[in-house]
Amino acid sequence: MTSDLPKSLTGKGGSRSATTRALALSLALAATALGVTGCDSAAAGTLKGSRLELPVAGGTAVVDTGSLAVSARAEDGRLLLLSEAAAGDGLGRPGPVTRTADGARWSYPAKGLSVTAGTDHGRLRIRLRSDRDGSVNWPVTGTDRTASAVQLPRGEGLDIPVRDAFWNSPKAGLAGSTVDVGADLALPLWGYTMGGAGGSRGGHGVSYLTPTDLGTSLRFSSAGGRLRATAAHAFDAGEGTRDYDVTFALTDGNPVAPAADYRAYLSQRGRLGSLREKIRKNPANAELLGAFHAYVWGDARTAAGIGKLRQLGVDRMWLGYDAGPGPMDAAAVRAAKKAGYLVGPYDSFANGQDPKTADSPTSAWPGRVYPDFCVRKADGTPETGFGGRGCYLSSRAFEKAEPGKHYLADRTRTMVANGADSYFLDVDATGELFRDHGAGHEMTKADDRKYRLARMERLSQHLVLGSESAQPWANRVLAFDHGSGTPVADGLWKLERDKQTWGGYYPQNAPKTFFKPVRLPADLATAMYDPKYRAPLYETALHGSLVNAERWELSYEKLPEQKSTRALLAMLYNTPLNYVLDGPTLARNGPELATLQKYFAPLHRAAGTEPMTSFRRLTDDRTVQRTVFGHGTLTVTANFGSTAHDGLPGGCVEARLRTDHAPRRLCPTAGPDGRLRF
């Protein structure tokens, strides 16, 4: 069972509040005279041989300047191992340690590394800077003998017991794998719970943030049946990754504490977006509140189809459509807007093909955009584009050309000429970034990120903007995303490539890749959707900044066996379901969609702009879970089990708004035909 999040970790205000356990530093320590010239503050800590001791929120961190091993002494006296010494071929003999205002600095000459260690808003912050290309394997985490669970922001988030047999086995695909922090994780962090059920009174945990996510990876291993995670960073001058920052924060062991720590980190630096502020700047963003999302095809993208949705009582929707033959016309857009719905085209600025043979209008560009704007590898060959077609296009090439050529502005103007008030820009907000060697538009991955942000910022001023699997660096410019809600396991990509099973891009008005129901293999279903392993890390970090949904090829109807679980997760996390609809599916599934949307709408209208302030598990088997949004604005309890808990039957969810006299209950049970019974 877990406690509520510390108030200091909710992202309210600028720095951590001294009223919480996390900032209960010893007054004696704060008053200690360190006796080091130029370092009068307790923040500078003490140096005892190779042991640098620094005060952090909740205790004292200890850094071994000889090896980069990191430990901590919590306020209750508990000793915690936060990282083993750097792995691999070691760091070599350290240079002299020099005291600084908030810590110390030293070097490892053999590796060309300089190190600074200090405190930052109650965290231990260690920065490595390299004077040469190379790498380091550190921190080495999960080796504390009391480590009981690891938190991983794969999609929405996972909280995995370190001794869990499934996750330590090849079936889960985690142990033995390496993930790119900047590309494969939804947030640049991971964490551990130390001891028993995380977050109980007196619990312990640690949050690891890697703000320098580019060039950073995380490798998982199983040692003695326990999951460990070792980070690595590649120092590369050409990629601009010669700096490597890691922060360590002591937590109460709550499974979402690392994400709460990251939310506070973003807030402290002015990098946390606000959906409420986005609504103030563009009132159309408010129509996301209470809306389910759907990509529409065939008759569902007509004025008549919109009318059928509204007749069912669906009062809010985000409707998207592809740019192929027969996009939504002006009459359909008018009908949608009259119904209170948002409408947006799918577009991508990332793919270019020969206009004479392009397989999608979004891949055809005027003039010599293709091939002149292609991202080029070091050998000069183009970076192959979507599905092996064409090339990826350089964001810098577009930015350089835009003032005179207006390629992006003209494209957008054409796409919304039907009156659409929203836009889904594929790929731009994902972690798939490129280094470009193309003459005249060279860029690093960090540059690519910067140019994408610039063009998304322009779009967001006039349109309700969404993108794919939004990384947190894009949270200030996006109003919604599709994809960060899905904890994708590697087996999913293999399954999607099996077109016989998954379905292909036909028929044109209802492509089977989106509409054909699929049964996930048991191991894949466990890795992605077993509620006992799920934790709302992404929502803890970014709820109230943007609206997050699952991937569009994993529409709600695509996975019939997961429908009940996904419905409960959506209500528990206060996130919309994502559908694909054509005429037949609208007729067949419309009433079910309407029932779910009517339940969701008032909850999301009330809490969609609020932070998630608490996540708790109410039973030891992890099947009953509770979330709170804002200061009690909304409380949701979901029972994923088969037996009742405190009056809530298995398979049901209860939500209570602060103004409610009684809880609102929903029990979506999937029948053998895949349809829900309520």
Side-chain angles (χ1 to χ4, degrees):
M1 290 179 282
T2 61
S3 67
D4 291 355
L5 303 184
K7 293 178 183 177
S8 61
L9 297 184
T10 64
K12 291 277 190 181
S15 61
R16 297 185 172 194
S17 167
T19 62
T20 68
R21 188 189 70 81
L23 260 191
L25 297 177
S26 164
L27 292 178
L29 177 61
T32 298
L34 300 177
V36 178
T37 303
C39 298
D40 297 332
S41 168
T46 60
L47 181 65
K48 301 175 182 178
S50 66
R51 289 169 53 89
L52 174 66
E53 298 187 0
L54 293 168
V56 295
T60 302
V62 182
V63 183
D64 186 335
T65 60
S67 68
L68 282 183
V70 182
S71 58
R73 182 175 62 253
E75 290 172 335
D76 63 3
R78 172 80 172 275
L79 298 178
L80 305 169
L81 179 58
L82 308 188
S83 173
E84 297 274 12
D89 56 3
L91 300 169
R93 188 179 183 86
V97 180
T98 302
R99 300 307 306 280
T100 64
D102 68 344
R105 65 175 183 268
W106 65 98
S107 65
Y108 299 105
K111 293 279 284 186
L113 292 174
S114 59
V115 185
T116 58
T119 56
D120 177 5
H121 293 86
R123 305 176 187 87
L124 169 66
R125 184 202 69 247
I126 297 180
R127 166 172 287 185
L128 307 183
R129 172 168 289 178
S130 180
D131 65 9
R132 68 197 68 166
D133 289 353
S135 63
V136 65
N137 296 306
W138 177 87
V140 181
T141 69
T143 61
D144 187 295
R145 61 181 178 81
T146 66
S148 57
V150 58
Q151 291 86 42
L152 178 66
R154 177 188 280 178
E156 181 60 65
L158 299 172
D159 176 54
I160 304 168
V162 298
R163 291 188 177 276
D164 189 271
F166 171 75
W167 287 99
N168 278 275
S169 74
K171 295 186 297 183
L174 183 62
S177 71
T178 299
V179 297
D180 184 322
V181 173
D184 300 329
L185 297 183
L187 306 167
L189 60 86
W190 71 101
Y192 273 91
T193 297
M194 311 294 195
S200 58
R201 294 293 179 186
H204 294 282
V206 58
S207 162
Y208 303 92
L209 308 183
T210 54
T212 47
D213 55 336
L214 298 178
T216 303
S217 59
L218 192 62
R219 179 170 178 79
F220 289 88
S221 61
S222 178
R226 295 168 55 88
L227 286 172
R228 296 181 177 180
T230 299
H233 186 79
F235 301 103
D236 188 318
E239 288 288 3
T241 59
R242 285 282 185 87
D243 289 324
Y244 179 35
D245 286 5
V246 183
T247 72
F248 304 73
L250 302 183
T251 74
D252 67 353
N254 187 294
V256 297
D261 180 34
Y262 185 55
R263 184 184 182 92
Y265 177 93
L266 292 174
S267 179
Q268 290 152 6
R269 286 157 178 79
R271 299 177 189 169
L272 180 64
S274 164
L275 186 56
R276 188 175 284 115
E277 179 64 14
K278 294 168 189 175
I279 291 169
R280 186 189 69 79
K281 292 180 178 179
N282 179 4
N285 284 310
E287 294 175 20
L288 286 170
L289 298 176
F292 277 0
H293 295 221
Y295 283 90
V296 288
W297 304 75
D299 291 342
R301 64 173 57 168
T302 65
I306 304 300
K308 291 177 181 177
L309 261 179
R310 195 65 190 89
Q311 289 167 13
L312 289 168
V314 177
D315 66 346
R316 286 284 174 93
M317 287 292 293
W318 179 90
L319 301 178
Y321 56 92
D322 70 327
M328 288 186 77
D329 60 23
V333 171
R334 285 195 300 271
K337 294 169 78 170
K338 184 178 180 181
Y341 304 166
L342 289 165
V343 178
Y346 165 96
D347 196 6
S348 175
F349 298 163
N351 189 242
Q353 299 178 36
D354 185 336
K356 297 176 182 177
T357 57
D359 57 10
S360 169
T362 61
S363 298
W365 295 88
R368 288 189 56 83
V369 168
Y370 178 86
D372 290 358
F373 285 18
C374 289
V375 171
R376 299 282 171 176
K377 302 176 186 177
D379 63 5
T381 60
E383 190 74 51
T384 304
F386 300 168
R389 302 182 300 277
C391 70
Y392 278 96
L393 298 175
S394 170
S395 60
R396 186 182 181 212
F398 272 123
E399 286 300 290
K400 288 184 67 177
E402 194 63 12
K405 296 294 186 179
H406 314 303
Y407 292 125
L408 303 183
D410 288 347
R411 163 67 73 83
T412 304
R413 192 177 298 111
T414 299
M415 296 289 277
V416 300
N418 60 359
D421 50 4
S422 184
Y423 215 77
F424 183 82
L425 188 61
D426 199 16
V427 177
D428 258 36
T430 70
E432 188 179 30
L433 302 166
F434 293 100
R435 182 176 179 186
D436 188 1
H437 297 267
H441 47 83
E442 298 88 346
M443 67 179 180
T444 65
K445 290 181 179 179
D447 292 332
D448 192 11
R449 182 180 286 181
K450 177 179 67 176
Y451 297 128
R452 294 184 190 204
L453 273 173
R455 66 197 192 190
M456 286 191 286
E457 170 65 25
R458 294 194 297 269
L459 286 172
S460 70
Q461 294 174 18
H462 308 287
L463 296 162
V464 178
L465 183 64
S467 189
E468 178 188 359
S469 301
Q471 293 284 308
W473 48 264
N475 87 88
R476 287 181 294 171
V477 299
L478 294 179
F480 69 97
D481 89 274
H482 294 162
S484 289
T486 306
V488 173
D490 286 345
L492 179 65
W493 308 132
K494 180 180 178 181
L495 183 62
E496 290 190 10
R497 287 192 295 269
D498 178 5
K499 297 305 180 185
Q500 186 68 31
T501 301
W502 191 262
Y505 287 90
Y506 59 87
Q508 188 178 74
N509 282 344
K512 290 186 177 181
T513 189
F514 303 120
F515 285 87
K516 180 183 178 182
V518 169
R519 180 178 185 180
L520 291 180
D523 292 338
L524 187 56
T526 297
M528 292 178 61
Y529 290 112
D530 191 326
K532 69 175 178 285
Y533 299 125
R534 295 287 296 264
L537 299 177
Y538 195 87
E539 296 315 310
T540 298
L542 295 177
H543 196 278
S545 172
L546 51 76
V547 174
N548 178 32
E550 288 213 57
R551 297 180 63 84
W552 77 312
E553 83 272 23
L554 287 176
S555 67
Y556 183 59
E557 298 289 345
K558 182 73 176 179
L559 308 174
E561 294 185 359
Q562 279 71 46
K563 285 181 66 174
S564 296
T565 294
R566 294 172 84 188
L568 265 59
L569 286 170
M571 305 309 163
L572 183 68
Y573 296 167
N574 200 229
T575 56
L577 294 171
N578 202 354
Y579 287 77
V580 292
L581 297 171
D582 66 347
T585 58
L586 177 56
R588 182 174 64 250
N589 303 322
E592 179 183 294
L593 182 158
T595 299
L596 292 169
Q597 192 270 337
K598 288 175 187 176
Y599 182 85
F600 173 77
L603 311 180
H604 197 236
R605 282 189 172 118
T609 58
E610 299 284 348
M612 180 184 284
T613 49
S614 174
F615 172 69
R616 303 175 60 195
R617 296 194 181 104
L618 306 183
T619 57
D620 291 338
D621 67 1
R622 297 177 158 213
T623 59
V624 184
Q625 303 174 15
R626 176 172 292 163
T627 54
V628 179
F629 298 85
H631 297 291
T633 300
L634 171 66
T635 300
V636 186
T637 306
N639 186 347
F640 297 98
S642 56
T643 58
H645 173 80
D646 198 21
L648 180 62
C652 295
V653 61
E654 273 189 350
R656 184 190 288 266
L657 295 171
R658 185 193 292 119
T659 54
D660 283 344
H661 297 295
R664 306 161 185 242
R665 180 174 292 183
L666 180 74
C667 299
T669 303
D673 58 357
R675 298 190 185 186
L676 295 181
R677 311 290 190 269
F678 298 99

